Amino acid sequence: MRKHTKLAIGLLGVPLMAASGFAWSTEGLRLEGYGAVSRAMGGTALAQDVGVAGMMVNPATLSMAPEGRRFSLGADVITADIVNEDLTTGEQVRSSDRGQNRGPYVAPQIGYTVNRGDWAFGVGAFALGGLGTEYGSDSFLSDGTSGTATGLENSSRLLVVDIPFALSFRVNESLSIGATVDAVWSGMNLNLLLGANQVGSLIADGRVSGSLLGTLATLPALDGAHLSFTREHPLSSGADAWGVSGRLGLSWRASDNTRVGAAYNFGTRLNDLQGDAVLTAVDLVAGQIPIKGHVEITDFQMPASLGFGVTHELRDHWRVSLDVSRVFWRDVLKDIHVGFTSDGGDDLNLVVPQNYKDQTIVAVGSAYSIGDWVLRAGYRHGTEVVPDRDLFVTLPVTPTRILSTGFSYRLSTRSQIDFAYSHNLEIDRSNPQNTNTGNPVRTTESQDNFVLNYALNF
């Protein structure tokens, strides 16, 4: 499977090569919009033509394009600033200045569409979402429950790449319908230290099982357990899997100035993520005991979503958009199931609580045309996804309020550049529990993200 993964992603070409350092947390695990046009308008895309990236939200919008072909090439640039503070000791660690893969991070966007008569076809490759952190090996996150330094890394990287094959049909002058069938690849890197008190909490909750549990119990002074499956490689991860997804959409012109859109995005059907791993038992007497083996993350999926949108032309050169979406996180991330099997056949199974909640997202955007320029702005607000008690500092999913702006500039009658800047307003949350954190931890996070596309019509 890993051989096929490298080959398939390699066929996507140079744009995906830029994703080697991709690691951030966004709206849950998802990006807050696809393509610079949508991102600059708060991620709105359900009831307007946002270019080839429309196939990632509502494929019916592809029918809004004129006869011909469109090609777009671009990238997301993500800069996240995450600070974690141990509320017991006062120690702090910042993600932005630690580790080998610290930001800014880059993710791909490439797409191609053809409009012929009443039909539109498209194919692309986009980063569907991801998250990540780099805390290095010398912060309080790398200390065992006793406070003893372990020198072990704490980091994460999740990349989900969506490859949609889109189709849209213009039923009449007012109504278009569309659909996609998507190939989806997900790759995860993880270095995670659980203190002995965290392991004890998981055991007490019935969330740990397997023959290796007895082995850990025989150690004289267990101080923690570290799980690592990471590959420093631009086109692969420590554990990965392929799967499928898809979406259905419609676009309806309610009047000369108003268009309504709706879309349902199916949740992914990914195989279990698998890869080589090392489980290290950290003991104050026996030292560090690494155990090589295989890791499997069971049924780790991206959620389904349902959205409705409306775009209204206030004047010939000015339009506003509103999208409302519901993302069904609760169906896919109640727990994270991690299984480890040693080369000798012993196993350890962890069920890590997450208790994600369904998320409601409201996005508004505006675009104003003046000469060769289109100026855009927007705002996006989402409800919180994960409860405070289940926050993981290596799996942050905190941003909920996003301001955005951007522009398009027409280079010629056939080409233009699109740019967007979005700022995830700082959010401050604390986890008071000791299952997902050794001590109570306060997390603050903000982001400055950019999108740049080149679009060609021919």
Side-chain angles (χ1 to χ4, degrees), residues 332-347:
V332 297
L333 269 176
K334 184 180 186 300
D335 301 300
I336 299 177
H337 296 260
V338 182
F340 175 82
T341 304
S342 72
D343 290 343
D346 293 320
D347 66 323

Side-chain angles (χ1 to χ4, degrees), residues 69-83:
R69 293 169 289 177
R70 296 192 294 181
F71 173 76
S72 178
L73 176 65
D76 282 283
V77 180
I78 314 295
T79 62
D81 187 9
I82 308 170
V83 179

Side-chain angles (χ1 to χ4, degrees), residues 88-307:
T88 301
T89 66
E91 296 175 89
Q92 290 188 348
V93 59
R94 183 184 298 269
S95 175
S96 61
D97 58 9
R98 301 280 181 149
Q100 297 297 317
N101 290 328
R102 59 187 179 270
Y105 307 108
V106 181
Q109 293 187 1
I110 183 171
Y112 173 78
T113 62
V114 179
N115 285 60
R116 289 286 183 267
D118 292 329
W119 294 91
F121 308 89
V123 63
F126 299 85
L128 177 64
L131 56 77
T133 54
E134 293 284 347
Y135 295 117
S137 59
D138 58 358
S139 74
F140 69 88
L141 298 176
S142 295
D143 295 345
T145 298
S146 68
T148 303
T150 67
L152 297 170
E153 291 278 347
N154 271 272
S155 62
S156 63
R157 187 185 75 189
L158 172 69
L159 172 61
V160 184
V161 176
D162 193 303
I163 306 168
F165 298 87
L167 175 68
S168 181
F169 177 68
R170 187 182 296 109
V171 178
N172 54 46
E173 291 300 317
S174 299
L175 178 66
S176 297
I177 56 176
T180 68
V181 176
D182 302 43
V184 183
W185 176 84
S186 179
M188 181 185 293
N189 286 341
L190 183 66
N191 287 292
L192 176 64
L193 177 68
L194 296 175
N197 60 337
Q198 295 173 265
V199 175
S201 294
L202 290 169
I203 293 173
D205 290 341
R207 293 179 172 273
V208 184
S209 63
S211 56
L212 278 173
L213 184 58
T215 302
L216 295 177
T218 63
L219 295 174
L222 183 68
D223 203 31
H226 183 267
L227 181 63
S228 175
F229 51 96
T230 296
R231 299 191 69 195
E232 300 295 341
H233 191 284
L235 299 181
S236 60
S237 297
D240 56 19
W242 280 92
V244 297
S245 184
R247 57 188 60 86
L248 300 172
L250 64 86
S251 173
W252 175 56
R253 181 174 289 281
S255 70
D256 290 343
N257 298 323
T258 304
R259 185 176 289 274
V260 177
Y264 181 79
N265 287 257
F266 294 93
T268 59
R269 293 294 181 266
L270 289 162
N271 294 318
D272 296 340
L273 280 71
Q274 300 186 48
D276 296 329
V278 177
L279 177 67
T280 301
V282 179
D283 189 85
L284 295 174
V285 176
Q288 296 185 10
I289 306 170
I291 305 170
K292 293 184 178 181
H294 184 82
V295 70
E296 183 171 321
I297 297 92
T298 305
D299 198 25
F300 189 89
Q301 306 293 343
M302 295 292 282
S305 65
L306 177 65

